[in-house]
Amino acid sequence: MTPPPPAGNRGDTVTELLGQIADTGRDAARGGYSRPVLSGSERDLLAWFVEQAQRRGLDVDVDRNGIAWAWWNPSGADLRGSVVTGSHLDSVPGGGAFDGPLGVASALVAVDHLRARGITPSRALGVAVFPEEEGSRFGVACLGSRLLTGELAPKRALALTDPDGTTLAEAWGRAGMDPAHLGRDDEALARIGTFVELHVEQGRGLIDLDAPVAVASSVLGHGRWRLSFTGEGNHAGATLMADRRDPVVAAAAAVLAARQSALAHADARATVGRIVPVPGGTNVIASRVDAWLDVRHPDDAVTAAVVAEISERAAEAARAEGCELVVTQESFSATAHFDGVLRDRLTRVLSGAPVLATGAGHDAAVLAGHVPSAMLFVRNPTGVSHSPAEAVEDDDAEQGAAALATALEHLLT
């Protein structure tokens, strides 16, 4: 193992680390950051992570599913059953600065804290960076952790396409990785004895509680569905209104149906955040419209009911407009409850930190079905996420990293 560098080369704050990548992936058109998986910006962020890990004397490798691992293992212990933390570096289009990178930077700083406290772990501590957590390029959220755990079949993953028509297999190969090796990795999974992910809170829970850090209890069940409306492309000026088969009209009805159905079910959330008309000309009646629907609810049966209601109303709108509709499920994650024993241990060691549920999906929720997993949330003073308005105060960021270090120390010793 590479020896750790002199102490003077460590001791960065979370804010300083995030400042090093503040210009990477900036989106001038949308504001915020656009860092899709396997893009130049995401590769630059991964190189930054590797450099920072190596500065700390951590051993780095990237597995066959594109997950980057950095290991602190001073005792040379078997990596099986290690304590692992980390998050992701990709973003939604025009996302904030903290969703993902906060957890990665905090994990690196937590290693610094543990060393400063004189901790020499008897088993390994890993820092993991998962690819395509947001699903912003290939449409499946938490793709890396789903591949690792076998929740996503390699055949399906390889056939996924981005908005430009590039398949995941093609993008994987261009990045210098072998797409034939994608899939469940029992050896890598066995290295995770316990997983703790720190993340910016994507809501207002900590604002209202006036607390900097919380422990997660659960993640809402959620999924993504593509609604493809097919009509007849035609001329915007030469085609009478009565003669049109306009899929945009049917898609608009589906958007309204999503809102109405979600409002009819307590705690449901339904969002159409992306609509793509084809061919997309201002003076052209579209021939097809693809709309992506995101539905979430604590009860998976209610999630299914909401999707069914929206699909039925969308189909009615399509028939009324003389169009056809195909609904395709692209991903689904059942409601995830984090390990209760681990959650309670972390709550105690963090001096009674509040416990919060979240409506946002995370790699930790995927891993929770396979290994004991937990999450820490750091206060977001705006309560806004997946937006340039996402924020974390410097002091809260440092308190989050210190809390993560305390949690890891408790699990390592």
Side-chain angles (χ1 to χ4, degrees):
M1 174 171 171
T2 305
N9 290 344
R10 300 196 302 276
D12 305 280
T13 66
V14 175
T15 301
E16 288 168 345
L17 284 180
L18 292 177
Q20 295 173 11
I21 57 174
D23 293 326
T24 305
R26 282 195 181 273
D27 192 321
R30 298 183 180 96
Y33 297 88
S34 293
R35 297 160 164 171
V37 70
L38 300 179
S39 65
S41 60
E42 194 254 6
R43 296 291 91 183
D44 288 345
L45 293 177
L46 187 60
W48 164 83
F49 168 72
V50 170
E51 189 269 337
Q52 286 297 323
Q54 290 176 338
R55 281 186 56 214
R56 289 164 169 79
L58 309 185
D59 294 326
V60 180
D61 65 87
V62 179
D63 70 17
R64 54 194 174 93
N65 290 309
I67 303 168
W69 305 84
W71 296 100
W72 181 30
N73 189 19
S75 66
D78 190 322
L79 292 180
R80 287 176 296 181
S82 301
V83 176
V84 179
T85 185
S87 193
H88 63 98
L89 291 170
D90 64 304
S91 78
V92 298
F98 300 94
D99 182 354
L102 178 69
V104 176
S106 297
L108 294 168
V109 171
V111 172
D112 297 343
H113 279 298
L114 291 171
R115 282 190 168 132
R117 296 176 190 179
I119 302 299
T120 303
S122 58
R123 57 176 173 151
L125 172 64
V127 178
V129 176
F130 293 91
E132 183 72 324
E133 192 268 357
E134 298 291 2
S136 63
R137 181 173 180 184
F138 292 102
V140 176
C142 300
L143 184 140
S145 54
R146 290 181 192 273
L147 285 168
L148 167 67
T149 58
E151 293 190 14
L152 178 64
K155 183 177 180 180
R156 185 185 167 214
L158 292 170
L160 295 171
T161 58
D162 69 9
D164 295 326
T166 302
T167 66
L168 178 65
E170 292 167 340
W172 215 253
R174 291 171 188 170
M177 297 179 285
D178 188 347
H181 292 160
L182 284 178
R184 181 179 171 93
D185 189 337
D186 289 314
E187 181 179 353
L189 191 58
R191 297 190 297 190
I192 309 175
T194 307
F195 181 72
V196 181
E197 179 175 4
L198 179 144
H199 204 278
V200 60
E201 190 198 0
Q202 296 170 290
R204 297 188 53 84
L206 285 168
I207 300 172
D208 297 336
L209 293 169
D210 192 26
V213 179
V215 178
S217 60
S218 60
V219 172
L220 282 184
H222 60 283
R224 297 180 183 184
W225 290 262
R226 184 175 72 244
L227 282 62
S228 296
F229 298 87
T230 303
E232 181 180 60
N234 215 325
H235 194 289
T239 310
L240 298 177
M241 299 303 291
D243 295 336
R244 299 183 178 206
R245 296 170 50 219
D246 189 344
V248 173
V249 174
V255 174
L256 294 176
R259 179 174 179 80
Q260 292 161 358
S261 182
L263 286 170
H265 296 268
D267 293 328
R269 299 98 191 261
T271 306
V272 178
R274 180 181 171 210
I275 301 174
V276 180
V278 177
T282 303
N283 59 346
V284 180
I285 301 168
S287 59
R288 190 182 81 246
V289 173
D290 290 325
W292 280 264
L293 172 68
D294 180 301
V295 178
R296 308 179 188 223
H297 192 275
D299 184 336
D300 298 331
V302 176
T303 300
V306 171
V307 173
E309 289 175 9
I310 296 169
S311 299
E312 182 177 354
R313 294 181 63 178
E316 291 173 357
R319 287 192 295 269
E321 190 63 26
C323 298
E324 297 178 352
L325 168 66
V326 175
V327 179
T328 305
Q329 179 179 298
E330 294 196 334
S331 66
F332 179 75
S333 296
T335 294
H337 295 277
F338 291 111
D339 185 278
V341 173
L342 177 58
R343 177 201 63 218
D344 292 345
R345 287 174 65 187
L346 295 187
T347 301
R348 287 193 300 270
V349 77
L350 296 178
S351 303
V355 177
L356 293 176
T358 180
H362 300 284
D363 290 304
V366 175
L367 292 174
H370 303 268
V371 298
S373 300
M375 289 192 72
L376 303 181
F377 295 131
V378 175
R379 178 167 49 195
N380 175 350
T382 66
V384 175
S385 190
H386 282 185
S387 160
E390 179 181 87
V392 173
E393 299 289 346
D394 291 353
D395 185 62
D396 285 352
E398 304 317 319
Q399 289 196 57
L404 178 62
T406 297
L408 298 174
E409 179 181 355
H410 175 73
L411 296 170
L412 286 166
T413 56

